[in-house]
Amino acid sequence: MKPPRSLRKLTEKLAVVNVTEEVIKVEGLTKIFNKHLVAVDHVSFSVKQGEIFGFLGPNGAGKTTTINMLITVLKPTSGKASILGYDIAKEANAVRYSIGVVPQEYTADEDLTGIENILLCADLYGIPREVSKKRAEELLELVELTKFKDKKVQTYSGGMRRRLELACGLINRPRVLFLDEPTLGLDVQTRAATWNYIKKLKKEFGMTLFMTTHYLEEADALCDRIAIIDHGKIVVIGTPDELKENLGGDIITLSIKQDADITNLVKKVERVKEVKKDDGMYLIKSENGEVTAPLIIESLRKEGYVVTKLSLSKPTLNEVYLQYTGRSIRDTEESPETVFAQRHTMRRARM
Amino acid sequence: MSTANNVTKSKIHGLWALTNRELKKWYKAPVVFVLTLIQPVIWLGLLGNALNLSSLFSADSIQIPPDIIMQFSPAQIAALSQFFNGLQDQIMRSTFGTTSYLSFMAVGMIAFTALFTTMFSGMSVVWDRRLGFLNKVLSTPVSRGVIIVSKVLSATLRAMFQAAIILIIAIPFGFTFGAAFTPLNILGVFAMLFLICMGLSSMFIAINVRSTRIETPMAVTNLLNLPLTFASSAFFPIERMPEWLQVVAKVNPLSYTIDGMRQLLIFDTINYSQLALDFAFVGIFALVLTSIGIVLSWRFLNK
């Protein structure tokens, strides 16, 4: 695995940008199960106020273990982490009061109605009934479940259940919201709708979001910053664009009318990193391809060459992911317990 | 956005919410609720009447050959039959402490139902784990102890409710209260039930808190269920059991629970020193098991 250059770059940057408040601060967080199974290995990162921070990684990489430590469900073996300045180990209760959690599974009770479920969540925070009733109504309105609030959760669709989980996670007005695979098992439209709710809620409450996801396109579109975790270690952190650019940039494919070798000519163009000739086509690697492509055409025309075909492809997060983890996001093994919970969730989602 | 201002920071907040969640699953699901009411009727109606042990000792149950009967005068036969019927009462009283086997068994039934209901508390812990609910609760400021106590409490309340139903249903089936019975004794019965249910459900939670498979509590349940029931005085008096079984039955907390409840409900005279022993035994059982259950779960939940 290549040493992530961007990581160094970013650490330097962070040291300078330290003006914004760091809501989540993690230093050398480690979790070892049964004395030898290292699930999370000296993970360090920080999340700024108002950011959407995405955690990506294959199953078993340590995403859920990390999130479970941050939400005070698991105790770290070593290392430190704080949320809003509260230590997750020493001031767990203060952390619990200030965070919201939207778990991967559908945890709402099927035999209870929507509103009963939200009120149950409120009771777990000790919020008095007169306050929680008002908040529950507001939240139901926000996630558009008011019409269904007195129906048993059994009758809810996957998207409705997810929205109910969201409402539950917000009942204590958290400043940091943790979302574990918030769109697992939902179809494309429902996923998009769910994200609209999440964005709306974030805007409404000005929260900081920490999420894990399997859907790379989603992470790309929504997250301000992303950390890729594998074998319990963070392999790279950065904005989606930074990560993609780090791969070496975009690929410009072109062909010319004339039968001549233009490799050296193209190489002189600004930002061009690599030129390969393949079957009469030139494959050019460059950062900011959309800016470089016109420059290439321009310099070729000056020499009298005519460009006949040109295409530009941007690297996706998928390629970033493959580069750093060496495997595709889907072909990994899971513990039976996770599989069961996921299957249950997905079955409910499809109802 | 102040979270801290409108929050009551009591140590036991959420206790009733979590307990009620368990109870709602039961009383808000009409099918489950009705079935739990029908179950004792079937037990009492079928088992209580099918095992009509007192009829074994009646005069009708002895078929005397006609040639022997011929030797007696009708007056002698009548006297003999009266003698046998008197004997029946004597045998029943000395064996079961009451003339009605149904009454004897109904009390055993109450304890059996308590055992059965509390077993579900172990299962619900595993379900909560598997469906992710436990993790969600753990991320809220609810005390870890409250999570466990709510399970114990809901199983206890449920078992006590069902015990009351059994008692009410048993009356039309022929349940007879003992001469020493006063309505105040009912309080004692519920105190006894409360203790045994606390102990049993803590035990089942302690056994299951670490398991992630739903098969584990089922296997544990099947393993413990029958020995706990039959190596107790639920259906048969301990004194008439073989000696090795008596040893088992005498350490079985269910035996003491049942004996205490029988003293309070169906016996004609209450042996107060025995009753005190019953309460002491079940009380210590409840105290020890609840402590173990809470400590074990606490350690596990704080992993």
Side-chain angles (χ1 to χ4, degrees), chain A residues 72-75 96-97 101 105 107 109 112 116 120 123-126 128 135 152 172 337 340 344, chain B residues 3 6-8 13 17 21 24-25 28 130-133 135-136 138-142 144 212 302-303:
Chain A
T72 73
V73 168
L74 278 179
K75 280 218 168 108
R96 288 174 194 144
Y97 273 111
V101 177
E105 302 90 2
T107 56
D109 224 295
L112 308 187
E116 281 174 330
L120 170 67
D123 288 342
L124 299 180
Y125 289 93
R135 274 194 205 172
K152 281 190 177 181
N172 61 325
E337 199 178 336
F340 177 87
H344 186 85
Chain B
T3 4
N6 36 29
V7 154
T8 49
H13 77 260
R21 166 180 176 262
K24 267 185 185 166
K25 282 192 200 179
K28 284 204 124 189
R130 297 213 72 169
L131 300 182
F133 183 79
N135 262 9
K136 183 167 134 180
L138 285 175
S139 74
T140 68
V142 163
R144 270 61 183 143
T212 51
N302 265 319
K303 221 173 38 165

Side-chain angles (χ1 to χ4, degrees), chain B residues 58 97 99 184 231:
Chain B
S58 73
T99 51
L184 214 64

Side-chain angles (χ1 to χ4, degrees), chain A residues 26-33 36-45 55 60-63 65-66 69 76-80 228-235:
Chain A
V26 178
E27 281 163 57
L29 200 64
T30 303
K31 180 72 190 178
I32 303 170
F33 287 114
H36 52 79
L37 185 77
V38 184
V40 175
D41 191 1
H42 294 91
V43 161
S44 301
F45 62 88
F55 230 46
K63 279 178 303 186
T65 309
T66 309
M69 283 192 280
T77 311
S78 69
K80 271 205 301 200
I228 294 180
I229 180 167
D230 196 19
H231 299 297
K233 286 186 173 127
I234 289 188
V235 286

